Amino acid sequence: MTVLNRSEQPMATLDPDMGRLVHEAMDGLGIRTVNSAEVTKVLTGPDGRVRAVATDAEEYPADVVVLGTGVEPETSLAREAGLPLGSYGGLLTDLGMRVRGHENVWAGGDCVEVLDLVSGRMRHVALGTHANKQGQVIGSNVGGDYATFPGMVGTAVSKVCDLEIARTGLREKEAREVGLRFVTVTIESTSRAGYYPGPRR
């Protein structure tokens, strides 16, 4: 298996040293990872089936191609309706997930931007955990109760077979962009409590 990655490392949501760990784990599984490689064409044979993908530099034989093209908010209807959108194209809401300036319009999930509580900036973060919480907030508020979604701190946990990797806060690059002094800490530990069977480092 070959993974062509447009970024300089797998999982650009991680700092480079963490991305290297993911790369090494993929290598250990026999997955060839080619970084800084942008696919320009999907090539087919005479029968119309895929035979390869191409970058500017090379062709890679393929029987099956899976594309991961990223996520962005689908807010064209909101734009046409004149609702407020942020710099990422996501809807802007108040803490109760009500669209700013619109009393009876609510939004949550992948179509909204949320406050990053560390940087103080709005971001588009397409995660089901946030969408679930936002949906609960909307349901509570529409039903006459009171709930808020104050923002997020950038926590994410991923697993590549046996490698479990987590992060929270800002990446170093993001901290520099907002002018923060920062300390980064990497902790290596077992994947579960020592008394539980099968802990791995």
Side-chain angles (χ1 to χ4, degrees):
M1 177 188 293
T2 301
V3 174
L4 302 179
N5 181 27
R6 188 167 58 179
S7 302
E8 295 178 4
Q9 66 179 42
M11 293 188 68
T13 55
L14 301 172
D15 279 320
D17 57 335
M18 302 288 272
R20 278 192 294 279
L21 293 176
V22 174
H23 193 161
E24 289 168 10
M26 292 170 73
D27 285 345
L29 295 167
I31 301 170
R32 178 185 178 201
T33 306
V34 182
N35 295 320
S36 301
E38 186 168 351
V39 173
T40 56
K41 294 179 188 171
V42 176
L43 306 171
T44 57
D47 59 359
R49 294 179 184 222
V50 65
R51 65 172 181 80
V53 294
T55 66
D56 288 337
E58 194 172 341
E59 284 187 15
Y60 299 86
D63 297 316
V64 175
V65 176
V66 177
L67 298 175
T69 58
V71 178
E72 62 183 37
E74 171 42 280
T75 51
S76 54
L77 179 61
R79 186 182 304 279
E80 290 170 15
L83 299 179
L85 304 178
S87 59
Y88 294 93
L91 281 155
L92 298 175
T93 67
D94 62 19
L95 293 179
M97 303 310 299
R98 182 184 288 110
V99 174
R100 294 180 190 174
H102 297 270
E103 186 65 25
N104 295 311
V105 181
W106 310 78
D110 293 356
C111 67
V112 302
E113 293 183 21
V114 297
L115 178 64
D116 184 314
L117 295 171
V118 182
S119 71
R121 294 184 175 180
M122 300 300 289
R123 290 179 56 192
H124 177 250
V125 181
L127 285 178
T129 50
H130 297 326
N132 186 292
K133 291 172 190 171
Q134 292 162 2
Q136 291 177 40
V137 167
I138 292 169
S140 294
N141 291 331
V142 168
D145 205 347
Y146 177 73
T148 63
F149 183 83
M152 56 89 191
V153 294
T155 301
V157 180
S158 305
K159 187 171 181 182
V160 179
C161 291
D162 288 337
L163 176 68
E164 296 175 19
I165 199 159
R167 56 147 292 190
T168 195
L170 302 176
R171 293 177 299 161
E172 293 178 21
K173 174 183 173 185
E174 294 162 338
R176 284 189 198 96
E177 286 173 356
V178 296
L180 294 176
R181 295 171 60 197
F182 60 89
V183 174
T184 59
V185 177
T186 303
I187 300 170
E188 290 188 31
S189 183
T190 55
S191 59
R192 57 190 70 175
Y195 56 79
Y196 195 85
R200 295 189 179 193
R201 208 168 242 296

